[in-house]
Amino acid sequence: MTDVIARSDEKAGAVPPQASAPARGGARERWVRRAPLLPALVFAIIVTQVPFLVTLYLSTLGWNALRPGRREFVGLDNYVSVLTDSRLRAALANTVLLTAGAVIFSMVLGLMLAMLLDRRFAGRAVVRTLLITPFLVMPIAAALLWKHALYNPAYGLINGLFGGSSDWISSYPKAAVVATLVWQWTPFMMLILLAGLQSQSEEVLEAARVDGAHAWQIFTRMTLPHLRQYLELGALLGSIYLVNTFDSVFSITQGGPGTATTNLPYEIYLTTFRKFEYGEASAAGVIVVLLTIIVATFALRVISTLFRMEEGR
Amino acid sequence: MRARLSRTVWGTVAWIAGIVFVFPVIWMVLTSFKQEQDAASNPPTWIFSPTTDQYAQVFDRHITPFLLNSLMASVLSTLFVVALATPAAYALSLRPVAKWTDALFFFISTKMMPAVAALLPLYLLVKNLGMLDNVWTMVVLYTSMNLPLAVWMMRSFLLEVPREVLEAGEVDGAGLLTSIRKIILPIVSPGLAATALICFIFAWNEFFLAVNLTATTAGTAPIFLVGFISSEGLFLARLCAAATIVSLPVLVAGWLAQNKLVRGLSMGAVK
């Protein structure tokens, strides 16, 4: 399945100007060049591709581990039951909502913070350190911190500071999870966008100012187009990580109330380790992979564009 | 004058944003030094006499083996990743093999595959091998988890070795080992350190595989925290102490390496 992605971007990768043409010499020379690559390649294939092939195989079996000895080939039945299952459709919708919500909010906040940090002011390095800190806190620790120390209705910090006695997690479960994710991922977006801002040519901006462009015009006509690839990269990498969100759902809401925050990784986890429906869980896993490939193909295209820019320099 | 004013204003805004963002972490550390009744009070307690009781409690409850498991899984997997990724990155940058872009994109596409889709086969395999709840299982899995990232990062650092210097070395008769030792390593070692650090961070923080494949013997630091998921109120200060302990290594490492962090996180695509 990964071949599909690799192929689609084959044309994108240009030969780096500084590299000599790929090995032309004899077979021996080619193997000498390949040798350093092989251990990593073989390892990656065995550990990542083989399990996926097994998942593909398991997804065609009717297999519940609670009923041992009853394991039979059922073709695409698991896919049918997965796709018609209302829980799974809810999980799919939740995954899209949680991922999109977290990516969009962290992107907007990250952009604002990157713009602030792109200016000179006293203590800029310290502020940057403060801002990246949430990203470094262990995700499960962060999730528990928000659940108990911030959201708790009786003694949580949010109610403590602003008054009231809201039970944030049961009243606004999705928002509670998204807010935690946004807090953790805004620094990531900020760092990527800051790198983009700092790669802007100072002279061109200065020239625009001399020509009388307003700050807003400079932002919309120059900065945003320049940042486009960085925004895309941040959004796509963020989506790839956030689609897999498990820690915060597992610890803050356990997918609830009801199925309000059950996303695909959590639902598959429940199907595998709580219901022991191995066949259905595998089919759901395959579907998640297919969905991820769609996002990943776009991500790879963006990366390969940046990649070409790098080679072109 | 106006420029200076706007600098002060925007600087202040940035400082406020920084403090708001870091505040939950400050609160976590503050709470970890409270007694439980101060931690679970409403309104929040600001003035209290600090105590290290909660830290003592956390160590009494045997967090140490969990920390050691995490240390072992993170450090060993990082060593393996670097050992596998550096030669591979060399073969994909300075002396590229044919179809090097395919190989590069293959690595990254494995990173994009959701772990949940591979969990069941891994679980069944590991169970049949009798390797459930074994630190070495986590070492292997974390190695494969971080390998693509490391290949991409190392490649982007290796590309900074000036081709001319390498060629000049070859003309002067430097063998491969000499040029690695005298030319390549001095240039890429900061990048190597950054790569290792990011792999360490991801392995240390990993939860999904750990919660499904380890238990009491090989449980890593995040697993120690699982016990706090449903603790209602009584153990908030202790939770904060545990959360501070498990987050500390990565916080320190990340603060020290923040300049390299962005490049690692975007897999070398952004400098």
Short mmCIF file of all heavy atoms in Angstrom, two decimals, chain B residues 21-58:
data_model
loop_
_atom_site.label_atom_id
_atom_site.label_comp_id
_atom_site.label_asym_id
_atom_site.label_seq_id
_atom_site.Cartn_x
_atom_site.Cartn_y
_atom_site.Cartn_z
N PHE B 21 -0.07 30.14 28.09
CA PHE B 21 0.18 28.79 27.58
C PHE B 21 0.91 27.91 28.58
O PHE B 21 0.66 26.73 28.70
CB PHE B 21 0.97 28.85 26.27
CG PHE B 21 0.08 28.65 25.08
CD1 PHE B 21 -0.72 29.68 24.64
CD2 PHE B 21 0.02 27.42 24.46
CE1 PHE B 21 -1.57 29.50 23.57
CE2 PHE B 21 -0.83 27.23 23.39
CZ PHE B 21 -1.63 28.27 22.95
N VAL B 22 1.84 28.52 29.30
CA VAL B 22 2.64 27.69 30.21
C VAL B 22 1.92 27.51 31.54
O VAL B 22 2.29 26.65 32.34
CB VAL B 22 4.04 28.33 30.39
CG1 VAL B 22 4.07 29.36 31.50
CG2 VAL B 22 5.10 27.26 30.64
N PHE B 23 0.85 28.28 31.75
CA PHE B 23 0.24 28.28 33.07
C PHE B 23 -0.20 26.91 33.59
O PHE B 23 0.07 26.57 34.74
CB PHE B 23 -0.92 29.28 33.17
CG PHE B 23 -1.31 29.53 34.58
CD1 PHE B 23 -0.53 30.33 35.39
CD2 PHE B 23 -2.41 28.90 35.15
CE1 PHE B 23 -0.84 30.51 36.73
CE2 PHE B 23 -2.72 29.08 36.47
CZ PHE B 23 -1.94 29.89 37.26
N PRO B 24 -0.87 26.09 32.76
CA PRO B 24 -1.24 24.77 33.27
C PRO B 24 -0.03 23.98 33.79
O PRO B 24 -0.14 23.24 34.77
CB PRO B 24 -1.87 24.07 32.06
CG PRO B 24 -2.41 25.20 31.25
CD PRO B 24 -1.43 26.33 31.41
N VAL B 25 1.12 24.17 33.13
CA VAL B 25 2.32 23.45 33.58
C VAL B 25 2.81 24.01 34.92
O VAL B 25 3.17 23.25 35.82
CB VAL B 25 3.44 23.54 32.51
CG1 VAL B 25 4.67 22.77 32.96
CG2 VAL B 25 2.94 23.01 31.18
N ILE B 26 2.76 25.33 35.04
CA ILE B 26 3.15 25.95 36.32
C ILE B 26 2.22 25.46 37.42
O ILE B 26 2.65 25.11 38.52
CB ILE B 26 3.11 27.49 36.20
CG1 ILE B 26 4.19 27.96 35.23
CG2 ILE B 26 3.28 28.14 37.56
CD1 ILE B 26 4.18 29.44 34.97
N TRP B 27 0.93 25.41 37.09
CA TRP B 27 -0.06 24.95 38.07
C TRP B 27 0.21 23.51 38.47
O TRP B 27 0.08 23.13 39.64
CB TRP B 27 -1.47 25.12 37.48
CG TRP B 27 -2.55 24.90 38.48
CD1 TRP B 27 -3.44 23.86 38.52
CD2 TRP B 27 -2.86 25.73 39.61
NE1 TRP B 27 -4.28 24.00 39.59
CE2 TRP B 27 -3.94 25.13 40.28
CE3 TRP B 27 -2.31 26.91 40.09
CZ2 TRP B 27 -4.50 25.67 41.43
CZ3 TRP B 27 -2.86 27.46 41.25
CH2 TRP B 27 -3.94 26.85 41.90
N MET B 28 0.60 22.70 37.49
CA MET B 28 0.92 21.30 37.78
C MET B 28 2.07 21.21 38.78
O MET B 28 2.00 20.47 39.76
CB MET B 28 1.29 20.59 36.46
CG MET B 28 1.90 19.23 36.60
SD MET B 28 2.20 18.47 34.96
CE MET B 28 3.90 18.95 34.68
N VAL B 29 3.12 22.01 38.54
CA VAL B 29 4.28 21.95 39.43
C VAL B 29 3.91 22.50 40.81
O VAL B 29 4.25 21.89 41.84
CB VAL B 29 5.46 22.73 38.82
CG1 VAL B 29 6.65 22.73 39.77
CG2 VAL B 29 5.86 22.12 37.48
N LEU B 30 3.18 23.62 40.84
CA LEU B 30 2.74 24.18 42.13
C LEU B 30 1.94 23.15 42.92
O LEU B 30 2.19 22.91 44.10
CB LEU B 30 1.87 25.42 41.90
CG LEU B 30 2.54 26.77 41.68
CD1 LEU B 30 1.48 27.84 41.50
CD2 LEU B 30 3.45 27.11 42.85
N THR B 31 0.95 22.55 42.23
CA THR B 31 0.07 21.60 42.91
C THR B 31 0.85 20.41 43.45
O THR B 31 0.51 19.85 44.49
CB THR B 31 -1.03 21.12 41.94
OG1 THR B 31 -1.67 22.26 41.39
CG2 THR B 31 -2.06 20.27 42.65
N SER B 32 1.91 20.03 42.74
CA SER B 32 2.67 18.86 43.17
C SER B 32 3.35 19.09 44.52
O SER B 32 3.75 18.15 45.17
CB SER B 32 3.71 18.48 42.11
OG SER B 32 4.77 19.41 42.10
N PHE B 33 3.50 20.37 44.92
CA PHE B 33 4.13 20.67 46.22
C PHE B 33 3.10 20.97 47.31
O PHE B 33 3.43 21.45 48.38
CB PHE B 33 5.11 21.84 46.07
CG PHE B 33 6.35 21.49 45.31
CD1 PHE B 33 6.54 21.94 44.02
CD2 PHE B 33 7.33 20.67 45.89
CE1 PHE B 33 7.68 21.60 43.31
CE2 PHE B 33 8.48 20.33 45.19
CZ PHE B 33 8.65 20.79 43.89
N LYS B 34 1.82 20.69 47.02
CA LYS B 34 0.77 20.97 48.01
C LYS B 34 0.40 19.70 48.76
O LYS B 34 0.67 18.59 48.30
CB LYS B 34 -0.49 21.50 47.32
CG LYS B 34 -0.35 22.89 46.73
CD LYS B 34 -1.65 23.27 46.04
CE LYS B 34 -1.51 24.60 45.33
NZ LYS B 34 -2.69 24.90 44.50
N GLN B 35 -0.30 19.89 49.89
CA GLN B 35 -0.98 18.76 50.52
C GLN B 35 -2.28 18.53 49.75
O GLN B 35 -2.80 19.45 49.13
CB GLN B 35 -1.31 19.07 51.98
CG GLN B 35 -0.11 19.32 52.85
CD GLN B 35 0.70 18.04 53.13
OE1 GLN B 35 0.38 16.97 52.61
NE2 GLN B 35 1.76 18.16 53.91
N GLU B 36 -2.81 17.30 49.83
CA GLU B 36 -3.99 17.01 49.03
C GLU B 36 -5.16 17.96 49.32
O GLU B 36 -5.87 18.37 48.42
CB GLU B 36 -4.44 15.56 49.21
CG GLU B 36 -3.48 14.52 48.65
CD GLU B 36 -3.35 14.53 47.12
OE1 GLU B 36 -4.05 15.32 46.46
OE2 GLU B 36 -2.53 13.76 46.61
N GLN B 37 -5.34 18.33 50.61
CA GLN B 37 -6.52 19.19 50.89
C GLN B 37 -6.37 20.58 50.27
O GLN B 37 -7.35 21.19 49.85
CB GLN B 37 -6.85 19.27 52.39
CG GLN B 37 -5.80 19.92 53.25
CD GLN B 37 -4.85 18.87 53.83
OE1 GLN B 37 -4.64 17.81 53.23
NE2 GLN B 37 -4.28 19.15 55.00
N ASP B 38 -5.12 21.06 50.14
CA ASP B 38 -4.90 22.35 49.47
C ASP B 38 -5.09 22.22 47.96
O ASP B 38 -5.54 23.15 47.29
CB ASP B 38 -3.49 22.86 49.75
CG ASP B 38 -3.29 23.23 51.21
OD1 ASP B 38 -4.29 23.61 51.84
OD2 ASP B 38 -2.15 23.11 51.70
N ALA B 39 -4.69 21.06 47.44
CA ALA B 39 -4.75 20.85 45.98
C ALA B 39 -6.20 20.83 45.51
O ALA B 39 -6.54 21.40 44.48
CB ALA B 39 -4.06 19.55 45.61
N ALA B 40 -7.08 20.17 46.30
CA ALA B 40 -8.46 20.00 45.86
C ALA B 40 -9.38 21.01 46.52
O ALA B 40 -10.45 20.68 46.97
CB ALA B 40 -8.92 18.58 46.15
N SER B 41 -8.94 22.27 46.59
CA SER B 41 -9.78 23.27 47.23
C SER B 41 -10.41 24.18 46.18
O SER B 41 -9.88 24.33 45.10
CB SER B 41 -8.96 24.12 48.19
OG SER B 41 -8.20 25.05 47.45
N ASN B 42 -11.53 24.74 46.53
CA ASN B 42 -12.17 25.71 45.66
C ASN B 42 -12.58 26.89 46.54
O ASN B 42 -13.29 26.69 47.52
CB ASN B 42 -13.42 25.09 45.01
CG ASN B 42 -14.00 26.02 43.96
OD1 ASN B 42 -13.37 26.98 43.54
ND2 ASN B 42 -15.22 25.73 43.55
N PRO B 43 -12.17 28.11 46.30
CA PRO B 43 -11.28 28.55 45.21
C PRO B 43 -9.86 28.01 45.35
O PRO B 43 -9.48 27.56 46.43
CB PRO B 43 -11.30 30.07 45.37
CG PRO B 43 -11.63 30.31 46.80
CD PRO B 43 -12.55 29.21 47.19
N PRO B 44 -9.08 28.08 44.25
CA PRO B 44 -7.73 27.52 44.25
C PRO B 44 -6.84 28.14 45.33
O PRO B 44 -6.97 29.32 45.65
CB PRO B 44 -7.19 27.88 42.87
CG PRO B 44 -8.31 28.44 42.10
CD PRO B 44 -9.46 28.68 42.98
N THR B 45 -5.97 27.33 45.87
CA THR B 45 -5.04 27.80 46.89
C THR B 45 -3.81 28.39 46.24
O THR B 45 -3.18 27.75 45.40
CB THR B 45 -4.58 26.62 47.77
OG1 THR B 45 -5.71 25.83 48.07
CG2 THR B 45 -3.91 27.10 49.04
N TRP B 46 -3.49 29.62 46.60
CA TRP B 46 -2.27 30.23 46.03
C TRP B 46 -1.14 30.24 47.04
O TRP B 46 0.02 30.18 46.67
CB TRP B 46 -2.56 31.66 45.56
CG TRP B 46 -3.58 31.66 44.48
CD1 TRP B 46 -4.91 31.87 44.60
CD2 TRP B 46 -3.35 31.39 43.09
NE1 TRP B 46 -5.54 31.76 43.39
CE2 TRP B 46 -4.60 31.47 42.45
CE3 TRP B 46 -2.22 31.09 42.34
CZ2 TRP B 46 -4.76 31.25 41.08
CZ3 TRP B 46 -2.37 30.88 40.97
CH2 TRP B 46 -3.62 30.96 40.36
N ILE B 47 -1.52 30.39 48.31
CA ILE B 47 -0.48 30.45 49.33
C ILE B 47 -0.53 29.19 50.17
O ILE B 47 -1.59 28.83 50.71
CB ILE B 47 -0.65 31.71 50.20
CG1 ILE B 47 -0.44 32.94 49.31
CG2 ILE B 47 0.33 31.70 51.37
CD1 ILE B 47 -1.11 34.18 49.83
N PHE B 48 0.58 28.50 50.24
CA PHE B 48 0.61 27.23 50.98
C PHE B 48 2.06 26.97 51.36
O PHE B 48 2.97 27.56 50.79
CB PHE B 48 0.07 26.10 50.11
CG PHE B 48 0.83 25.91 48.83
CD1 PHE B 48 1.86 24.98 48.76
CD2 PHE B 48 0.54 26.67 47.70
CE1 PHE B 48 2.58 24.81 47.59
CE2 PHE B 48 1.26 26.51 46.53
CZ PHE B 48 2.29 25.57 46.47
N SER B 49 2.24 26.11 52.36
CA SER B 49 3.63 25.79 52.69
C SER B 49 4.02 24.54 51.91
O SER B 49 3.40 23.49 52.04
CB SER B 49 3.80 25.57 54.19
OG SER B 49 2.80 24.70 54.64
N PRO B 50 5.02 24.69 51.03
CA PRO B 50 5.36 23.60 50.12
C PRO B 50 5.85 22.36 50.86
O PRO B 50 6.51 22.45 51.89
CB PRO B 50 6.48 24.18 49.25
CG PRO B 50 6.93 25.42 49.92
CD PRO B 50 5.85 25.88 50.84
N THR B 51 5.49 21.22 50.31
CA THR B 51 5.91 19.96 50.89
C THR B 51 6.34 19.02 49.76
O THR B 51 5.85 19.13 48.64
CB THR B 51 4.75 19.31 51.66
OG1 THR B 51 5.08 17.95 51.90
CG2 THR B 51 3.45 19.35 50.88
N THR B 52 7.24 18.13 50.05
CA THR B 52 7.64 17.15 49.04
C THR B 52 6.99 15.79 49.33
O THR B 52 7.38 14.79 48.75
CB THR B 52 9.16 16.99 48.97
OG1 THR B 52 9.63 16.68 50.29
CG2 THR B 52 9.85 18.25 48.48
N ASP B 53 5.97 15.82 50.21
CA ASP B 53 5.29 14.56 50.57
C ASP B 53 4.82 13.79 49.34
O ASP B 53 4.92 12.56 49.28
CB ASP B 53 4.05 14.86 51.43
CG ASP B 53 4.45 15.27 52.83
OD1 ASP B 53 5.67 15.38 53.06
OD2 ASP B 53 3.55 15.49 53.66
N GLN B 54 4.25 14.54 48.36
CA GLN B 54 3.66 13.86 47.21
C GLN B 54 4.72 13.13 46.42
O GLN B 54 4.49 12.03 45.90
CB GLN B 54 2.92 14.85 46.32
CG GLN B 54 1.93 15.74 47.06
CD GLN B 54 0.99 14.95 47.94
OE1 GLN B 54 0.69 13.79 47.67
NE2 GLN B 54 0.54 15.56 49.01
N TYR B 55 5.90 13.76 46.30
CA TYR B 55 6.98 13.10 45.58
C TYR B 55 7.41 11.83 46.31
O TYR B 55 7.64 10.78 45.69
CB TYR B 55 8.16 14.06 45.37
CG TYR B 55 7.86 15.12 44.35
CD1 TYR B 55 7.28 16.34 44.70
CD2 TYR B 55 8.10 14.89 43.00
CE1 TYR B 55 6.98 17.30 43.75
CE2 TYR B 55 7.81 15.83 42.03
CZ TYR B 55 7.24 17.05 42.42
OH TYR B 55 6.93 17.98 41.47
N ALA B 56 7.49 11.94 47.64
CA ALA B 56 7.86 10.76 48.43
C ALA B 56 6.84 9.64 48.20
O ALA B 56 7.19 8.48 47.99
CB ALA B 56 7.93 11.13 49.90
N GLN B 57 5.55 10.03 48.20
CA GLN B 57 4.46 9.07 47.97
C GLN B 57 4.62 8.36 46.62
O GLN B 57 4.45 7.15 46.52
CB GLN B 57 3.13 9.82 47.94
CG GLN B 57 2.61 10.21 49.28
CD GLN B 57 1.62 9.18 49.77
OE1 GLN B 57 1.42 8.15 49.14
NE2 GLN B 57 0.99 9.47 50.91
N VAL B 58 4.91 9.18 45.58
CA VAL B 58 5.02 8.61 44.23
C VAL B 58 6.15 7.59 44.19
O VAL B 58 6.01 6.51 43.61
CB VAL B 58 5.23 9.73 43.20
CG1 VAL B 58 5.63 9.15 41.85
CG2 VAL B 58 3.97 10.56 43.05
#
